[in-house]
């Protein structure tokens, strides 16, 4: 029996994973429909990566102005107009927005529908259109790319005191002339750390509460310690090892009760930012009715297929990493497998996933760190280069941090890298490339790096490894040789 479809692919969600999936499908001349219920570009453009990095940049400049005397200039009070800072954030979004717009994707050959999509059966998607009416699409394959939303913990009293998240603060704070006087940040992960530091630099009195014994719980302790020191230096009161108990309001005053080693205490605040993680958007798309397994994310196989082999998931909704570049990475596998899987399917590859936390200094990592290597009982040795030895870092007044490389004992193969530095995210790219293509530290050492640049830190880290692995017998022989040559 011949079955005919209206579409080769329907993509639900126009964030990073959905946009890339639709782009790839259109590029190979498939008939593809992209459905978005809210704003094109998803969380990254509208609430996450783009606005937060714009805010971070303004906050960093404000701090540099306060520290201008460090560079031989007159230190000044930046006189922050928070409303203008937030206006700039929106201007940055507006400049990036055309890259993700419906107009651009329509010009590329993608049919873009604004509306709510629901999967009726494995080959049928019903869309309630934003401007009224509905349409049913018969499709050969589907990619679910519905993303994630901030998780708000069910703390007693939290609704009474009110809160913002990394999604809502851009609207809630947009008209404030000054940032909140007392900001309480709940959560010590990447989002919490980035926003805590930024608001402190822009003038808020920030208290950050984290239940774990350290900030950035997935990072090594030495990296987390540098971040905590940087936040404290910028005025953030960091309370690690503190568990939030409940919130309460007393007239116009708002408090959070927390439990630490010294007992229970109350923290007064004017605004509460919840940054304790994100949860996948799983409901309302017909997954339950289709029997598609979900836990914290949609369960998929190594090809990103769900229980129904023509339905795929990509991005935050699929896990295991909630990173924009991983969403785009997964989108390639999901869309290619959906369109060409009858000929060849590709297993998604997570071996060389980089990530960066954009605090100052940044923390960037790829592969294993020490904590993970120990947990997995993988033998390793550590090579470390301190940035206080890097000429460019000294000249830039940012000689804080390190490059740390894990290798198998006695070998130059790179198992993982952690960098804490002003430009750590950019520096990491060389190591990601090396790991992807099986290049060891000797290859990095043998590569010319411009002087004076931050990238030299990578070469010097490789040089540290080489210096620690020069054969001692050879050195003794060379010493005797040169003695003989002198005589």
């Amino acid at each position: 029996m011949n079955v005919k479809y209206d579409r080769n692919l329907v993509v639900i969600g126009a964030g990073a994973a959905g946009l890339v999936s639709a782009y790839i499908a259109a590029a190979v001349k498939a008939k593809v429909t992209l459905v978005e219920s809210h704003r094109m570009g998803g969380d990254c453009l509208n609430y996450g990566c783009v606005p937060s990095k714009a805010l971070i940049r303004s906050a960093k400049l404000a701090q540099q102005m306060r520290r201008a005397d460090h560079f031989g200039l007159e230190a000044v009070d930046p006189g922050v107009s928070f409303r203008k800072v937030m206006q700039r954030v929106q201007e940055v979004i507006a400049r990036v927005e055309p890259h993700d717009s419906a107009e651009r994707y329509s010009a590329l050959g993608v049919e873009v529908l604004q509306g709510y999509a629901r999967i009726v059966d494995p080959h049928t998607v019903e869309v309630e259109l934003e401007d009224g009416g509905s349409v049913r699409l018969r499709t050969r394959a589907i990619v679910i790319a519905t993303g994630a939303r901030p998780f708000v913990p069910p703390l007693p009293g939290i609704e009474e005191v009110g809160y913002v998240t990394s999604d809502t603060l851009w609207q809630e704070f947009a008209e404030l002339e000054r940032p909140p006087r007392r900001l309480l940040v709940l959560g010590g992960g990447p989002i919490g750390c980035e926003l805590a530091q930024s608001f402190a630099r822009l003038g808020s009195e920030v208290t950050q509460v984290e239940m774990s014994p350290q900030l950035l719980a997935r990072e090594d302790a030495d990296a987390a310690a540098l971040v905590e020191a940087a936040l404290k230096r910028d005025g953030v009161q960091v309370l690690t090892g503190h568990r939030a108990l409940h919130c309460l309001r007393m007239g116009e005053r708002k408090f959070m009760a927390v439990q630490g080693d010294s007992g229970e205490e109350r923290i007064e605040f004017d605004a509460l930012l919840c940054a304790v993680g994100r949860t996948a958007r799983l409901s309302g798309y017909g997954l339950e009715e289709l029997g598609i397994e979900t836990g914290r994310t949609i369960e998929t196989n190594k090809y990103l297929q769900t229980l129904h082999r023509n339905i795929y998931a990509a991005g935050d909704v699929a896990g295991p990493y909630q990173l924009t570049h991983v969403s785009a990475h997964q989108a390639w596998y999901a869309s290619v497998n959906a369109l060409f899987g009858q000929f060849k399917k590709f297993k998604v590859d997570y071996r060389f996933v980089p990530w960066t936390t954009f605090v100052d200094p940044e923390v960037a990592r790829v592969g294993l760190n020490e904590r993970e290597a120990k947990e997995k009982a993988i033998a390793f040795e550590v090579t470390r280069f301190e940035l206080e030895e890097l000429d460019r870092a000294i000249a830039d007044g940012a000689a804080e941090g390190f490059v740390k490389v894990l290798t198998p004992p006695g070998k130059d193969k790179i198992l993982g890298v952690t960098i804490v530095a002003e430009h750590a995210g950019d520096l990491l790219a060389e190591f990601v490339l090396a790991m992807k293509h099986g290049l060891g530290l000797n290859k990095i050492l043998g590569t010319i790096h411009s002087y004076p640049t931050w990238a030299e830190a990578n070469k010097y880290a490789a040089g540290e490894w080489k210096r620690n692995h020069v054969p001692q017998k050879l050195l003794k022989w060379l010493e005797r040789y040169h003695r003989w040559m002198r005589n």
Side-chain angles (χ1 to χ4, degrees):
M1 177 180 176
N2 291 328
V3 179
K4 293 186 178 181
Y5 303 106
D6 304 319
R7 310 287 189 281
N8 297 100
L9 186 64
V10 170
V11 180
I12 303 174
L19 290 171
V20 173
S21 296
Y23 179 92
I24 291 171
V28 296
K29 303 305 178 183
K31 190 170 184 181
V32 55
T33 297
L34 176 63
V35 185
E36 173 54 50
S37 62
H38 190 37
R39 298 176 68 178
M40 294 286 289
D43 296 330
C44 183
L45 170 63
N46 298 293
Y47 316 114
C49 315
V50 173
S52 66
K53 301 313 166 283
L55 184 76
I56 287 168
R57 185 64 186 93
S58 294
K60 183 173 183 176
L61 181 56
Q63 191 70 353
Q64 288 173 330
M65 293 170 70
R66 293 187 189 97
R67 296 182 64 246
D69 56 340
H70 183 71
F71 300 94
L73 306 174
E74 184 176 348
V76 296
D77 182 342
V80 176
S81 169
F82 190 66
R83 181 182 287 128
K84 289 182 179 179
V85 170
M86 296 298 274
Q87 286 174 353
R88 179 183 176 272
V89 168
Q90 294 304 317
E91 289 167 3
V92 170
I93 293 173
R95 286 194 63 182
V96 177
E97 203 167 30
H99 303 166
D100 298 344
S101 66
E103 292 77 13
R104 182 191 177 213
Y105 277 78
S106 295
L108 292 170
V110 178
E111 178 188 38
V112 180
L113 297 180
Q114 291 287 156
Y116 292 87
R118 183 179 181 82
I119 305 171
V120 178
D121 64 50
H123 292 283
T124 306
V125 177
E126 184 172 70
V127 183
E128 292 183 17
L129 299 172
E130 190 178 71
D131 55 3
S134 64
V135 62
R136 282 202 169 200
L137 310 175
R138 287 284 294 166
T139 180
R140 187 176 175 280
I142 299 167
V143 172
I144 304 168
T146 50
R149 63 171 63 88
F151 172 72
V152 178
L155 287 177
I158 194 170
E159 297 296 336
E160 285 71 27
V161 298
Y163 59 87
V164 296
T165 68
S166 57
D167 279 13
T168 64
L169 74 88
W170 314 106
Q171 288 74 42
E172 295 289 333
F173 292 170
E175 297 304 318
L176 297 179
E177 186 56 42
R178 295 179 178 83
R181 185 169 76 85
R182 293 169 299 187
L183 178 66
L184 175 57
V185 177
L186 183 59
I191 294 174
C193 289
E194 290 176 4
L195 293 176
Q197 185 179 48
S198 293
F199 275 91
R201 288 177 160 189
L202 291 170
S204 292
E205 298 173 15
V206 179
T207 302
Q208 186 176 15
V209 175
E210 167 55 42
M211 185 167 58
S212 299
Q214 69 170 50
L215 299 177
L216 302 178
R218 298 177 67 179
E219 304 296 344
D220 282 338
D222 52 359
L226 272 176
V227 171
E228 181 173 339
L231 266 61
K232 288 180 176 178
R233 190 165 58 240
D234 288 338
V236 179
Q237 182 184 11
V238 179
L239 300 178
T240 53
H242 282 68
R243 182 167 61 92
L245 300 175
H246 58 86
C247 300
L248 67 152
R249 180 187 284 272
M250 300 174 63
E252 294 301 312
R253 300 175 69 186
K254 296 181 283 189
F255 300 86
M256 176 180 286
V258 300
Q259 179 74 44
D261 291 339
S262 58
E264 183 176 328
E265 60 181 299
R266 287 183 178 179
I267 302 169
E268 188 170 4
F269 61 88
D270 299 306
L272 169 62
L273 169 61
C274 287
V276 293
R278 298 175 65 81
T279 182
R281 293 188 177 97
L282 299 170
S283 61
Y285 306 103
L287 306 183
E288 301 90 345
E289 292 82 352
L290 291 172
I292 293 177
E293 297 285 336
T294 61
R296 296 182 64 181
T297 57
I298 295 175
E299 292 188 15
T300 64
N301 63 15
K302 55 194 173 185
Y303 305 108
L304 296 177
Q305 293 172 301
T306 66
L307 172 69
H308 300 279
R309 293 304 186 236
N310 70 307
I311 300 179
Y312 296 75
D316 289 356
V317 76
Y321 303 100
Q322 292 184 341
L323 300 166
T324 297
H325 48 281
V326 174
S327 296
H329 179 69
Q330 288 178 325
W332 185 91
Y333 291 90
S335 56
V336 170
N337 287 339
L339 295 169
F340 303 108
Q342 67 272 33
F343 303 113
K344 180 175 175 59
K345 291 187 293 187
F346 297 88
K347 300 175 185 177
V348 65
D349 182 2
Y350 297 121
R351 288 176 298 165
F352 312 112
V353 173
W355 63 77
T356 303
T357 300
F358 294 92
V359 285
D360 183 14
E362 295 175 357
V363 179
R365 178 154 71 93
V366 62
L368 295 173
N369 61 13
E370 291 188 71
R371 179 180 59 81
E372 290 176 339
K374 291 173 183 175
E375 289 173 356
K376 297 177 180 179
I378 295 174
F380 68 93
E381 61 181 53
V382 175
T383 299
R384 185 176 171 120
F385 173 73
E386 302 293 339
L387 288 179
E388 63 186 14
E389 302 295 329
L390 183 68
D391 293 359
R392 181 57 186 269
I394 296 169
D396 284 358
E400 176 185 35
F402 56 82
V403 178
K404 181 169 62 174
V405 185
L406 270 63
T407 54
K411 298 181 179 179
D412 77 330
K413 178 184 178 182
I414 303 168
L415 298 176
V417 180
T418 296
I419 304 177
V420 182
E422 185 165 290
H423 301 284
D426 298 316
L427 292 174
L428 190 69
E430 183 173 19
F431 288 111
V432 179
L433 180 71
M435 292 177 70
K436 171 74 174 177
H437 296 285
L439 305 178
L441 290 176
N442 279 313
K443 295 294 186 182
I444 291 177
L445 180 60
T447 301
I448 299 174
H449 294 65
S450 296
Y451 177 87
T453 62
W454 282 86
E456 284 187 297
N458 297 344
K459 180 174 182 175
Y460 292 149
E464 286 292 313
W465 180 90
K466 189 68 173 179
R467 188 173 65 177
N468 293 333
H469 291 83
V470 173
Q472 294 303 312
K473 289 183 179 180
L474 176 61
L475 288 179
K476 291 180 180 178
W477 184 89
L478 288 173
E479 184 179 17
R480 290 197 299 270
Y481 167 74
H482 288 300
R483 188 185 306 120
W484 176 75
M485 289 294 290
R486 290 195 302 273
N487 296 321

Short mmCIF file of all heavy atoms in Angstrom, two decimals, residues 194-231:
data_model
loop_
_atom_site.label_atom_id
_atom_site.label_comp_id
_atom_site.label_asym_id
_atom_site.label_seq_id
_atom_site.Cartn_x
_atom_site.Cartn_y
_atom_site.Cartn_z
N GLU A 194 26.48 33.66 36.61
CA GLU A 194 26.59 34.74 35.63
C GLU A 194 25.75 35.94 36.03
O GLU A 194 26.21 37.09 36.00
CB GLU A 194 26.16 34.24 34.25
CG GLU A 194 27.12 33.25 33.61
CD GLU A 194 26.62 32.70 32.29
OE1 GLU A 194 25.55 33.15 31.82
OE2 GLU A 194 27.29 31.82 31.72
N LEU A 195 24.50 35.70 36.42
CA LEU A 195 23.60 36.81 36.74
C LEU A 195 23.93 37.42 38.09
O LEU A 195 23.80 38.64 38.27
CB LEU A 195 22.15 36.33 36.69
CG LEU A 195 21.66 35.95 35.29
CD1 LEU A 195 20.25 35.38 35.34
CD2 LEU A 195 21.71 37.15 34.34
N ALA A 196 24.36 36.63 39.06
CA ALA A 196 24.76 37.18 40.36
C ALA A 196 25.90 38.17 40.19
O ALA A 196 25.87 39.28 40.74
CB ALA A 196 25.15 36.05 41.31
N GLN A 197 26.92 37.78 39.44
CA GLN A 197 28.06 38.67 39.24
C GLN A 197 27.65 39.93 38.48
O GLN A 197 28.05 41.04 38.82
CB GLN A 197 29.17 37.94 38.49
CG GLN A 197 30.45 38.76 38.36
CD GLN A 197 31.55 38.00 37.64
OE1 GLN A 197 31.32 37.40 36.59
NE2 GLN A 197 32.75 38.00 38.22
N SER A 198 26.84 39.76 37.44
CA SER A 198 26.44 40.91 36.62
C SER A 198 25.64 41.92 37.42
O SER A 198 25.90 43.13 37.36
CB SER A 198 25.62 40.43 35.42
OG SER A 198 26.42 39.68 34.54
N PHE A 199 24.66 41.45 38.19
CA PHE A 199 23.85 42.39 38.96
C PHE A 199 24.66 43.05 40.07
O PHE A 199 24.45 44.23 40.38
CB PHE A 199 22.61 41.68 39.52
CG PHE A 199 21.47 41.64 38.55
CD1 PHE A 199 21.32 40.57 37.68
CD2 PHE A 199 20.56 42.68 38.48
CE1 PHE A 199 20.27 40.53 36.77
CE2 PHE A 199 19.52 42.67 37.57
CZ PHE A 199 19.36 41.59 36.71
N ALA A 200 25.61 42.32 40.65
CA ALA A 200 26.47 42.95 41.65
C ALA A 200 27.30 44.06 41.02
O ALA A 200 27.46 45.14 41.59
CB ALA A 200 27.38 41.89 42.28
N ARG A 201 27.81 43.82 39.83
CA ARG A 201 28.62 44.82 39.14
C ARG A 201 27.78 46.03 38.71
O ARG A 201 28.31 47.13 38.54
CB ARG A 201 29.30 44.19 37.93
CG ARG A 201 30.42 43.24 38.31
CD ARG A 201 31.04 42.57 37.11
NE ARG A 201 32.38 42.05 37.45
CZ ARG A 201 33.23 41.55 36.56
NH1 ARG A 201 32.88 41.47 35.27
NH2 ARG A 201 34.42 41.13 36.94
N LEU A 202 26.48 45.81 38.52
CA LEU A 202 25.60 46.90 38.12
C LEU A 202 24.99 47.63 39.32
O LEU A 202 24.23 48.58 39.14
CB LEU A 202 24.50 46.38 37.20
CG LEU A 202 24.97 45.91 35.82
CD1 LEU A 202 23.87 45.18 35.08
CD2 LEU A 202 25.47 47.10 34.99
N GLY A 203 25.30 47.18 40.54
CA GLY A 203 24.91 47.95 41.70
C GLY A 203 24.00 47.28 42.70
O GLY A 203 23.68 47.87 43.74
N SER A 204 23.55 46.06 42.44
CA SER A 204 22.70 45.37 43.41
C SER A 204 23.54 44.80 44.55
O SER A 204 24.71 44.45 44.37
CB SER A 204 21.95 44.21 42.73
OG SER A 204 20.99 44.67 41.81
N GLU A 205 22.92 44.70 45.73
CA GLU A 205 23.49 43.93 46.83
C GLU A 205 23.00 42.49 46.65
O GLU A 205 21.83 42.20 46.86
CB GLU A 205 23.01 44.49 48.17
CG GLU A 205 23.44 45.91 48.44
CD GLU A 205 22.80 46.47 49.70
OE1 GLU A 205 22.27 45.66 50.51
OE2 GLU A 205 22.80 47.70 49.87
N VAL A 206 23.89 41.63 46.22
CA VAL A 206 23.50 40.28 45.80
C VAL A 206 23.89 39.26 46.86
O VAL A 206 25.03 39.24 47.34
CB VAL A 206 24.14 39.90 44.45
CG1 VAL A 206 23.74 38.49 44.04
CG2 VAL A 206 23.74 40.90 43.37
N THR A 207 22.92 38.41 47.20
CA THR A 207 23.19 37.23 48.01
C THR A 207 22.86 36.01 47.17
O THR A 207 21.79 35.94 46.56
CB THR A 207 22.32 37.21 49.29
OG1 THR A 207 22.59 38.39 50.04
CG2 THR A 207 22.63 35.98 50.13
N GLN A 208 23.78 35.07 47.11
CA GLN A 208 23.60 33.86 46.30
C GLN A 208 23.56 32.64 47.21
O GLN A 208 24.47 32.43 48.01
CB GLN A 208 24.73 33.73 45.27
CG GLN A 208 24.54 32.59 44.28
CD GLN A 208 25.62 32.57 43.22
OE1 GLN A 208 26.65 33.20 43.36
NE2 GLN A 208 25.39 31.84 42.14
N VAL A 209 22.51 31.87 47.08
CA VAL A 209 22.29 30.69 47.92
C VAL A 209 22.42 29.44 47.08
O VAL A 209 21.72 29.28 46.06
CB VAL A 209 20.91 30.74 48.60
CG1 VAL A 209 20.65 29.47 49.38
CG2 VAL A 209 20.80 31.96 49.50
N GLU A 210 23.29 28.53 47.48
CA GLU A 210 23.50 27.27 46.78
C GLU A 210 23.54 26.13 47.78
O GLU A 210 24.26 26.19 48.77
CB GLU A 210 24.80 27.32 45.98
CG GLU A 210 25.30 25.99 45.44
CD GLU A 210 24.27 25.26 44.58
OE1 GLU A 210 23.59 25.92 43.75
OE2 GLU A 210 24.16 24.03 44.73
N MET A 211 22.78 25.08 47.51
CA MET A 211 22.69 23.95 48.44
C MET A 211 23.97 23.12 48.46
O MET A 211 24.36 22.58 49.49
CB MET A 211 21.49 23.08 48.06
CG MET A 211 21.21 21.94 49.02
SD MET A 211 19.58 21.19 48.74
CE MET A 211 19.72 20.68 47.02
N SER A 212 24.65 22.98 47.33
CA SER A 212 25.87 22.19 47.25
C SER A 212 27.02 22.89 48.00
O SER A 212 26.97 24.10 48.23
CB SER A 212 26.28 21.98 45.80
OG SER A 212 25.29 21.27 45.10
N PRO A 213 28.05 22.14 48.35
CA PRO A 213 29.16 22.75 49.08
C PRO A 213 30.01 23.70 48.23
O PRO A 213 30.86 24.40 48.77
CB PRO A 213 29.99 21.54 49.55
CG PRO A 213 29.60 20.42 48.66
CD PRO A 213 28.18 20.67 48.26
N GLN A 214 29.82 23.73 46.92
CA GLN A 214 30.57 24.65 46.07
C GLN A 214 29.67 25.17 44.96
O GLN A 214 28.66 24.55 44.61
CB GLN A 214 31.81 23.97 45.44
CG GLN A 214 31.47 22.92 44.39
CD GLN A 214 32.68 22.43 43.60
OE1 GLN A 214 33.69 22.06 44.19
NE2 GLN A 214 32.58 22.42 42.28
N LEU A 215 30.03 26.32 44.40
CA LEU A 215 29.39 26.79 43.18
C LEU A 215 29.81 25.90 42.02
O LEU A 215 30.81 25.18 42.09
CB LEU A 215 29.81 28.24 42.89
CG LEU A 215 29.45 29.30 43.94
CD1 LEU A 215 30.02 30.65 43.53
CD2 LEU A 215 27.95 29.38 44.14
N LEU A 216 29.03 25.93 40.94
CA LEU A 216 29.36 25.16 39.73
C LEU A 216 29.71 23.72 40.10
O LEU A 216 30.85 23.27 39.96
CB LEU A 216 30.51 25.82 38.96
CG LEU A 216 30.27 27.26 38.51
CD1 LEU A 216 31.50 27.81 37.82
CD2 LEU A 216 29.06 27.38 37.61
N ALA A 217 28.72 23.01 40.58
CA ALA A 217 28.93 21.69 41.19
C ALA A 217 29.57 20.68 40.24
O ALA A 217 30.19 19.71 40.68
CB ALA A 217 27.61 21.14 41.71
N ARG A 218 29.43 20.88 38.93
CA ARG A 218 29.99 19.92 37.97
C ARG A 218 31.47 20.18 37.69
O ARG A 218 32.12 19.36 37.04
CB ARG A 218 29.20 19.97 36.66
CG ARG A 218 27.74 19.58 36.81
CD ARG A 218 26.98 19.70 35.51
NE ARG A 218 27.42 18.73 34.52
CZ ARG A 218 26.89 18.62 33.31
NH1 ARG A 218 25.92 19.43 32.94
NH2 ARG A 218 27.34 17.72 32.47
N GLU A 219 32.00 21.31 38.16
CA GLU A 219 33.39 21.65 37.87
C GLU A 219 34.29 21.19 39.01
O GLU A 219 33.86 20.90 40.12
CB GLU A 219 33.53 23.16 37.67
CG GLU A 219 32.63 23.74 36.59
CD GLU A 219 32.93 23.22 35.20
OE1 GLU A 219 34.01 22.64 34.99
OE2 GLU A 219 32.08 23.39 34.31
N ASP A 220 35.60 21.12 38.71
CA ASP A 220 36.57 20.81 39.74
C ASP A 220 36.59 21.89 40.81
O ASP A 220 36.26 23.06 40.54
CB ASP A 220 37.97 20.67 39.13
CG ASP A 220 38.17 19.34 38.42
OD1 ASP A 220 37.44 18.39 38.75
OD2 ASP A 220 39.06 19.25 37.56
N ALA A 221 37.01 21.50 42.00
CA ALA A 221 36.98 22.42 43.14
C ALA A 221 37.88 23.64 42.91
O ALA A 221 37.54 24.75 43.35
CB ALA A 221 37.42 21.68 44.40
N ASP A 222 39.02 23.46 42.23
CA ASP A 222 39.92 24.61 42.03
C ASP A 222 39.30 25.65 41.11
O ASP A 222 39.46 26.86 41.31
CB ASP A 222 41.29 24.16 41.52
CG ASP A 222 41.22 23.27 40.29
OD1 ASP A 222 40.11 22.96 39.81
OD2 ASP A 222 42.30 22.85 39.80
N ALA A 223 38.56 25.19 40.09
CA ALA A 223 37.88 26.12 39.19
C ALA A 223 36.75 26.83 39.93
O ALA A 223 36.59 28.06 39.83
CB ALA A 223 37.33 25.38 37.98
N ALA A 224 35.97 26.09 40.70
CA ALA A 224 34.86 26.67 41.45
C ALA A 224 35.36 27.68 42.48
O ALA A 224 34.72 28.72 42.72
CB ALA A 224 34.05 25.57 42.12
N ALA A 225 36.50 27.39 43.09
CA ALA A 225 37.05 28.30 44.10
C ALA A 225 37.43 29.64 43.49
O ALA A 225 37.22 30.70 44.11
CB ALA A 225 38.26 27.66 44.78
N LEU A 226 38.00 29.62 42.29
CA LEU A 226 38.36 30.87 41.63
C LEU A 226 37.11 31.68 41.29
O LEU A 226 37.10 32.91 41.43
CB LEU A 226 39.15 30.58 40.35
CG LEU A 226 40.66 30.45 40.49
CD1 LEU A 226 41.30 30.08 39.16
CD2 LEU A 226 41.27 31.76 41.00
N VAL A 227 36.05 31.00 40.86
CA VAL A 227 34.80 31.70 40.55
C VAL A 227 34.21 32.31 41.81
O VAL A 227 33.78 33.47 41.82
CB VAL A 227 33.80 30.74 39.89
CG1 VAL A 227 32.42 31.38 39.76
CG2 VAL A 227 34.30 30.31 38.52
N GLU A 228 34.19 31.54 42.89
CA GLU A 228 33.63 32.07 44.14
C GLU A 228 34.42 33.28 44.62
O GLU A 228 33.84 34.29 45.06
CB GLU A 228 33.63 30.99 45.22
CG GLU A 228 33.03 31.46 46.54
CD GLU A 228 32.86 30.35 47.55
OE1 GLU A 228 32.82 29.17 47.15
OE2 GLU A 228 32.76 30.67 48.76
N ALA A 229 35.74 33.22 44.51
CA ALA A 229 36.57 34.36 44.92
C ALA A 229 36.28 35.58 44.06
O ALA A 229 36.22 36.71 44.57
CB ALA A 229 38.05 33.98 44.82
N ALA A 230 36.07 35.38 42.76
CA ALA A 230 35.77 36.49 41.86
C ALA A 230 34.43 37.12 42.20
O ALA A 230 34.28 38.35 42.22
CB ALA A 230 35.78 36.01 40.41
N LEU A 231 33.42 36.28 42.48
CA LEU A 231 32.10 36.81 42.84
C LEU A 231 32.16 37.59 44.14
O LEU A 231 31.56 38.67 44.26
CB LEU A 231 31.08 35.67 42.92
CG LEU A 231 30.27 35.40 41.64
CD1 LEU A 231 31.17 35.01 40.48
CD2 LEU A 231 29.21 34.33 41.88
#
